[in-house]
Amino acid sequence: MEDYSPSHQDLVDRTAEWLSKHPKYKCRLVFKEVRTVIKEIPDVIGFTKYGRSILIECKASRSDFLSDSKKSFRKRASLGIGLERFYACPKDLISVDELPSNWGLIYVYENQIRIKAHPQKQNNNVNNENKFLISVLAKLDFLKPIDESLAEYTEGFKTALGKKEAKRSAKRAKRRRRRRR
């Protein structure tokens, strides 16, 4: 396999897609570099339908990898998010023996992604994961009353609600907005 030097953004984009499609993980929610109320800004984090969280930290350079270990949530694993955690990098940028305890390693090649080391489950900061998810929902404006929120996003929910229910919900929300004026 040839030398491949992806940018940090390439690593983030490719591993986010990989996390949503990998047969073991199949994350239904995958976020890339989202700033929230918590201190940690994960390059990629995904959540499975069972709530399992998988974190991927992408490193395109040695210096980035080495500076990562200075962060408080790397020094104490229980402060970080992600039940399972990976570093992702081009081949041989990071070796397995350099990994923090329980971390996995993904090598990103030009045409494929391979797991070099599998992660072990860690004590993750569930409170911060909840804050992360609530902060993301707030950015998406989902913290309105549920039926009003669904009415505004009916295009995405038509199959879940059924077309008739989606129309009814949209009409109810429209009436409520008119009454408030």
Side-chain angles (χ1 to χ4, degrees):
M1 293 186 197
E2 68 287 338
D3 282 344
Y4 175 59
S5 300
S7 68
H8 182 267
Q9 192 60 53
D10 289 337
L11 291 169
V12 168
D13 292 342
R14 294 203 43 217
T15 56
E17 183 179 355
W18 174 85
L19 193 55
S20 69
K21 294 178 179 178
H22 190 279
K24 180 178 178 184
Y25 301 110
K26 287 187 188 168
C27 290
R28 293 199 171 175
L29 293 172
V30 176
F31 302 99
K32 301 184 300 185
E33 299 179 312
V34 177
R35 289 183 185 277
T36 64
V37 297
I38 67 171
K39 201 175 190 181
E40 188 171 357
I41 304 166
D43 289 331
V44 178
I45 188 164
F47 295 87
T48 68
K49 68 180 178 180
Y50 302 108
R52 192 168 110 217
S53 57
I54 296 91
L55 172 85
I56 301 176
E57 280 301 311
C58 298
K59 302 300 168 194
S61 70
R62 287 283 304 159
S63 60
D64 189 15
F65 171 67
L66 296 171
S67 67
D68 199 57
S69 64
K70 297 173 185 161
K71 297 174 181 173
S72 61
F73 41 83
R74 296 289 182 260
K75 290 178 182 175
R76 289 188 47 210
S78 62
L79 296 177
I81 60 174
L83 182 63
E84 296 175 48
R85 301 173 193 171
F86 284 101
Y87 277 108
C89 65
K91 182 181 183 244
D92 297 329
L93 184 79
I94 303 169
S95 66
V96 173
D97 59 327
E98 294 178 287
L99 294 174
S101 181
N102 299 322
W103 278 69
L105 181 61
I106 298 169
Y107 279 167
V108 180
Y109 299 92
E110 192 167 3
N111 297 315
Q112 63 181 318
I113 294 177
R114 285 195 177 161
I115 297 175
K116 182 74 173 166
H118 290 273
Q120 302 300 310
K121 290 181 180 172
Q122 304 202 30
N123 289 328
N124 54 325
N125 189 330
V126 176
N127 188 38
N128 271 358
E129 287 184 8
N130 289 336
K131 286 178 184 177
F132 176 90
L133 289 169
I134 289 168
S135 183
V136 168
L137 288 173
K139 287 180 181 201
L140 295 174
D141 209 14
F142 272 108
L143 294 181
K144 294 179 180 179
I146 293 295
D147 58 328
E148 183 178 330
S149 179
L150 288 178
E152 291 182 20
Y153 297 101
T154 52
E155 289 305 309
F157 288 100
K158 279 186 180 173
T159 53
L161 293 174
K163 288 183 182 180
K164 286 183 182 178
E165 183 55 36
K167 282 182 180 179
R168 273 184 260 168
S169 181
K171 285 180 184 178
R172 283 193 299 267
K174 193 174 182 180
R175 280 194 300 262
R176 275 194 300 277
R177 281 193 296 274
R178 268 192 255 137
R179 276 188 251 145
R180 287 185 201 150
R181 291 180 191 159

